[in-house]
Amino acid sequence: AIDGVLASRNVCGERNAVVKRLEAEFGETRRGYGLQRGASVVEVFASEDSGSWTIIVTNPAGVSCLVAAGQNWAPTPEEASLRKGEKA
């Protein structure tokens, strides 16, 4: 993930471009999401292969900003079971 960049400035862009970059450069896919104050969408992206993770917030206009990123992502036992095709 791009945690060093986050410390120096806001990283924002059109949502589709941000999501494509997270997948192409870091292998991250969306793992969860929720609404913030009924307007913005908060999403968590992560890669099991690299262990990187990123949280973005997208406003109603479709602009996404990275708010946190890091390493050592670990899925919950339930998520790991579902990804392996087992019953949770």
Side-chain angles (χ1 to χ4, degrees):
I2 42 184
D3 48 348
V5 175
L6 291 176
S8 63
R9 61 187 166 100
N10 286 340
V11 179
C12 300
E14 190 270 328
R15 184 189 177 279
N16 288 338
V18 170
V19 171
K20 285 179 183 177
R21 182 174 177 201
L22 291 174
E23 185 170 4
E25 292 188 27
F26 305 102
E28 295 181 7
T29 58
R30 189 168 76 165
R31 299 306 177 93
Y33 64 94
L35 288 178
Q36 181 183 37
R37 296 185 192 105
S40 297
V41 177
V42 178
E43 297 173 282
V44 177
F45 291 80
S47 169
E48 287 182 32
D49 293 334
S50 70
S52 68
W53 58 267
T54 305
I55 298 174
I56 66 171
V57 176
T58 305
N59 69 23
V63 175
S64 296
C65 294
L66 283 67
V67 295
Q71 293 295 319
N72 298 313
W73 173 262
T76 64
E78 296 83 7
E79 180 185 9
S81 293
L82 290 173
R83 290 196 176 276
K84 291 178 184 176
E86 300 170 4
K87 190 174 181 180

